[in-house]
Amino acid sequence: MTTRGNDLSGKCGACRRKVSQGTGCEDCGLWFHWECSGTNSDLAILPWYCNSCVQAKVIKKQEETILSLKRELELARTEIDLLKGELNLVDNCPEEFRTVSNSRRKLKKVPSSLDVKLALTNRFEPLAMLGPQTDGDAIDQPVLEAKPKRKILVLGSSHGRGIGQRLQKAMGDAYAVTSIFKPNADLSNVTGDIGKLCKGFSKEDQVVIVGGPGNSLERNLNYQIEKDLSDIAQKTSHTNVRFVGLFWRHDKPWINRCVREINLRLERSLVEVGAAHIDAIDVSSILRSEHTVHGLHLNPRGKDKLTRLIAESIKGRHIPVVMGVQNHFLG
């Protein structure tokens, strides 16, 4: 991008007034006032393009995409015509001539009309569109159905941001992870729709709760977690739940005494309410260096560690926990 001096007398490409100070478009070469271009002299070293040229680039890219799609469509149509020609050739061939010999003079059966139709249909249509089979439709190889993926539902407050994507990568293709987080929500709001969201879950699936109790505790230091746990246990009795414990508050360390108490009551309550399908995940091993600067949320390294703890809990592996690492915050 270049700027014009006071000795220039060109007209602005937008307002058509004289340009004494401004910038020029790298494509069309027209000049514009700083206010007409929507930029300023501080960005003069960067290449700049006017709206007309930007739109022209977008249109050109879309036209190229359309041409590419048309070429792919023509190739697909050509392939379909070739397959149809093979099908007609087989149908018109007498039964006694439906064998050919290879280079070793061994007889090889030519695909029947049904085999060709099946291959053609499977290539371009879902298997569900083939329709019911009749007694005459004898297919040698049965259609194998893909094993359904195990479902994981991640519910949380701000602490749940980014956990779903990390957990999907950690668990692999055998699982389908869905993540819903509500910033600054307490536990009752985080799990308010848990019964509806996991209605179709089974004992092969998982619900992960990340955050919520901390907001409940911050709004009420006398917060009782037992009521929320009882409600969660009742609505999720048909599946499994992984409940992430409260994180240490490095931004408000005076709350950590209550945090420790809630975490202890969490594990005790899971036994008292008969919630055998709910497991608590201990997060006391997450260090101060794995939180953001302000000390409330986890940084990327902390989120990676939390994801590992959740994944190991779901897979049933032993999780080494460093106890008492942050007890100095309790006062």
Side-chain angles (χ1 to χ4, degrees), residues 34-322:
W34 291 118
E35 57 272 17
C36 294
S37 65
T39 182
N40 54 63
S41 58
D42 295 335
L43 302 177
I45 61 174
L46 300 176
W48 179 84
Y49 303 92
C50 65
N51 290 335
S52 299
C53 293
V54 170
Q55 293 177 2
K57 288 178 179 290
V58 172
I59 293 174
K60 182 178 179 181
K61 185 176 181 180
Q62 291 176 346
E63 290 177 347
E64 292 176 352
T65 302
I66 292 173
L67 290 176
S68 177
L69 292 175
K70 285 183 176 180
R71 286 193 295 268
E72 293 181 4
L73 180 59
E74 290 299 326
L75 290 175
R77 288 175 175 173
T78 303
E79 189 172 359
I80 291 174
D81 292 338
L82 292 175
L83 291 173
K84 288 181 178 180
E86 294 177 3
L87 177 61
N88 293 332
L89 178 62
V90 173
D91 287 340
N92 297 327
C93 180
E95 183 65 30
E96 58 271 18
F97 294 106
R98 291 189 181 181
T99 57
V100 295
S101 57
N102 57 13
S103 59
R104 297 184 180 181
R105 308 301 298 173
K106 292 183 179 180
L107 294 180
K108 180 179 179 182
K109 183 179 179 181
V110 176
S112 65
S113 175
L114 174 62
D115 295 334
V116 177
K117 288 181 179 178
L118 181 62
L120 178 62
T121 307
N122 287 351
R123 185 176 182 85
F124 296 101
E125 298 178 4
L127 291 175
M129 297 178 64
L130 291 177
Q133 299 177 12
T134 62
D135 295 338
D137 295 338
I139 300 178
D140 296 334
Q141 297 182 354
V143 177
L144 299 178
E145 296 183 358
K147 184 179 180 181
K149 295 184 178 181
R150 298 180 179 181
K151 297 184 285 291
I152 298 178
L153 173 64
V154 180
L155 300 177
S157 59
S158 300
H159 287 294
R161 188 191 301 269
I163 298 299
Q165 296 89 331
R166 287 176 167 84
L167 188 59
Q168 179 67 78
K169 184 177 180 180
M171 299 303 295
D173 296 335
Y175 292 82
V177 180
T178 302
S179 178
I180 301 175
F181 67 92
K182 302 177 181 179
N184 201 33
D186 57 18
L187 183 57
S188 61
N189 287 327
V190 168
T191 61
D193 299 327
I194 191 171
K196 184 187 303 183
L197 293 173
C198 68
K199 184 177 180 180
F201 280 32
S202 66
K203 288 298 183 180
E204 298 292 326
D205 305 317
Q206 304 282 342
V207 178
V208 181
I209 301 176
V210 185
N215 294 325
S216 300
L217 179 62
E218 184 174 10
R219 295 166 189 174
N220 180 14
L221 293 179
N222 297 319
Y223 167 65
Q224 306 291 323
I225 197 173
E226 288 79 4
K227 182 179 181 300
D228 288 332
L229 286 177
S230 178
D231 184 62
I232 294 171
Q234 182 180 1
K235 295 179 179 179
T236 60
S237 58
H238 58 289
T239 187
N240 303 296
V241 178
R242 307 289 167 174
F243 197 104
V244 176
L246 276 72
F247 298 94
W248 295 105
R249 293 294 300 269
H250 299 285
D251 58 330
K252 298 179 180 180
W254 59 87
I255 301 181
N256 284 329
R257 186 180 301 276
C258 297
V259 170
R260 180 176 61 174
E261 180 182 352
I262 290 294
N263 281 331
L264 293 175
R265 290 169 59 185
L266 167 62
E267 297 187 5
R268 183 171 62 248
S269 299
L270 294 180
V271 178
E272 293 177 353
V273 301
H277 62 288
I278 302 179
D279 288 332
I281 298 179
D282 191 341
V283 292
S284 60
S285 61
I286 298 180
L287 308 177
R288 174 65 181 93
S289 60
E290 293 165 334
H291 285 74
T292 55
V293 175
H294 60 75
L296 173 59
H297 297 108
L298 300 178
N299 59 25
R301 187 170 59 179
K303 289 182 181 293
D304 290 340
K305 187 172 186 178
L306 174 60
T307 302
R308 178 179 60 82
L309 294 175
I310 296 173
E312 291 179 353
S313 176
I314 294 175
K315 293 180 179 180
R317 300 175 183 173
H318 175 68
I319 305 175
V321 178
V322 182

